[in-house]
Structure formats: structure tokens, C-alpha cells
Amino acid sequence: EVRLVESGGGLVRPGGSLRLSCAASGFTFSSYSMNWVRQAPGKGLEWVSSIITSNTYIYYVDSVKGRFTISRDNAKNSLYLQMNSLRAEDTALYYCARVGYYDSIDYWGQGTLVTVSS
Amino acid sequence: SYELTQPPSVSVSPGQTASITCSGDKLGDKYASWYQQKPGQSPVLVIYQDTKRPSGIPERFSGSNSGNTATLTISGTQAMDEADYYCQAWDNSAYVFGTGTKVTVL
């Protein structure tokens, strides 16, 4: 069974930092590209970042470029998102998600909540 | 940047057919996926590669994609299908999600 379990969310002041983690199990983690997708309270889905299997290609939505860094440790079956210079508009539930066939996202975690507020 | 537009809401009677559109420039040249999200739950993939259903997704869910519009069709809609639905495509090294459609089963 595929499992994606996020952690690391919490309350942080504007300008602060957080590191999100995602523990993957039930599949060969190193063989799959992975995403972070967020959802602000009461809003729609927003893609944040993608990382290809071997760290060779990394992509970000424009609004987080230069502030967020995605990474993975295939030996630990883990995905990370380092978030710096956080803003109120970064407040959201952050999902770890696996890339499936033909650019789809086939598995999602339960999400970890990030709240940026003073 | 690329945008995908969906109607905010669709209402359907039980047993009837619900159609949700997703509009984007030359969307038919890309692969469209669809996700169902119920309140308090994570999204679930219901259609990928325009028309394919993942294992475990009921046959009443179907998809199409041509020109500038992708469509998710729910045939014989059931009360359990009441949810938010999002389309998604990959464009210029970025995932793009649609604006979302709330399906209400009256």
C-alpha cells in the first residue's frame, strides 16, 4: 500500500522558516518523481514544486522561487520542502504527492498545515 | 502563465449525468487529469491521460479532451459523488490546476 506521511507544519511568523518532510512507503521511492501541492483554507489546489527521480530536474511555481527548496533522500525514502521568508499567503495545507502516468498525480498524503501569522 | 477555467458549480439530480468542463488554450494538445476532493479529505485521481480510469474508480466516471476543452462526465450520479472536482495539466514545466467545480447532488 502506498503511503505518504507529511510532517513539519506549524505556526510561524512572517519571514520565518519551516522544513516539511514526507515519509514514503509501499513503493520504490527512487523510481518516482514527487510533488508538493498546497491548498489555502477554503481555496483550490496549487502546485508548488516538483522533483524528478534523480534530483536532476527541479521546478517551482513562480511565487515560491528563491524562497522554497525541494529535495529528496532516496536512501531514506523521504521528500522535503525547505520554506524560507514565509509570507501570510503561504498559509495552506501542504500535500506530498506522487507523480503517476502521463503527468497525473496518483497518490496524495493527508497534508501538513502551515500557518504564517504574527 | 497557463490557466485552466472550470465552472464554479454544477448541480445534478441523483441518477442523472453531470458534465464538468475545463477550458485552456490548446488543452487538447496536453494530457488532462481530474481529481475528486471531498470535504476534509485529500484529492483522489479519477481520470488520467484524458480518458483513463485508475484502478478502483467506478465506470460512471469518464473523460474526454479535444480542442480547448476537457470534460469530466459522471453518469448515473450518486450522492457519494458530491465533491469538488479539479482538472489538471502539465504546461511549460509546471503543473496547472483548474479553478475547481463543486458538484452538488440534489
Side-chain angles (χ1 to χ4, degrees):
Chain A
E1 177 195 5
V2 172
R3 285 198 74 202
L4 299 169
V5 180
E6 303 92 337
S7 60
L11 174 64
V12 62
R13 295 188 185 280
S17 298
L18 275 179
R19 188 193 195 210
L20 306 184
S21 299
C22 171
S25 61
F27 65 103
T28 304
F29 180 73
S30 59
S31 297
Y32 287 85
S33 300
M34 298 294 296
N35 287 329
W36 288 100
V37 177
R38 66 185 179 184
Q39 187 168 34
K43 302 297 184 182
L45 300 172
E46 180 184 36
W47 168 77
V48 175
S49 183
S50 296
I51 185 167
I52 310 307
T53 54
S54 58
N55 289 298
T56 49
Y57 293 98
I58 287 175
Y59 307 103
Y60 300 99
V61 67
D62 285 347
S63 60
V64 308
K65 284 180 182 176
R67 300 188 299 123
F68 290 11
T69 302
I70 191 172
S71 62
R72 64 190 296 163
D73 185 336
N74 289 337
K76 295 184 177 180
N77 292 336
S78 294
L79 177 71
Y80 306 101
L81 186 68
Q82 177 66 43
M83 304 186 297
N84 299 330
S85 303
L86 282 161
R87 306 167 180 167
E89 54 264 37
D90 295 319
T91 294
L93 187 64
Y94 284 72
Y95 293 103
C96 168
R98 190 182 86 167
V99 175
Y101 295 125
Y102 297 96
D103 305 327
S104 68
I105 299 175
D106 60 357
Y107 286 94
W108 302 67
Q110 289 303 303
T112 186
L113 182 63
V114 172
T115 303
V116 184
S117 175
S118 55
Chain B
S1 61
Y2 195 74
E3 295 182 351
L4 294 174
T5 302
Q6 301 177 231
S9 63
V10 167
S11 297
V12 60
S13 300
Q16 299 304 301
T17 297
S19 294
I20 307 166
T21 57
C22 173
S23 299
D25 185 49
K26 298 180 181 178
L27 180 56
D29 292 343
K30 310 176 195 303
Y31 291 119
S33 301
W34 289 90
Y35 304 87
Q36 175 194 69
Q37 187 179 33
K38 297 182 179 180
Q41 297 184 18
S42 302
V44 172
L45 178 67
V46 295
I47 293 289
Y48 69 96
Q49 198 187 349
D50 301 335
T51 62
K52 303 247 188 328
R53 280 179 292 104
S55 174
I57 299 302
E59 291 184 7
R60 63 180 181 273
F61 289 90
S62 63
S64 64
N65 185 16
S66 179
N68 295 323
T69 304
T71 303
L72 174 69
T73 302
I74 311 174
S75 304
T77 306
Q78 300 183 9
M80 68 173 65
D81 300 329
E82 188 163 283
D84 293 327
Y85 290 84
Y86 297 90
C87 60
Q88 171 260 310
W90 170 259
D91 175 79
N92 194 25
S93 302
Y95 279 83
V96 180
F97 288 96
T99 49
T101 299
K102 182 176 182 60
V103 171
T104 302
V105 183
L106 299 171

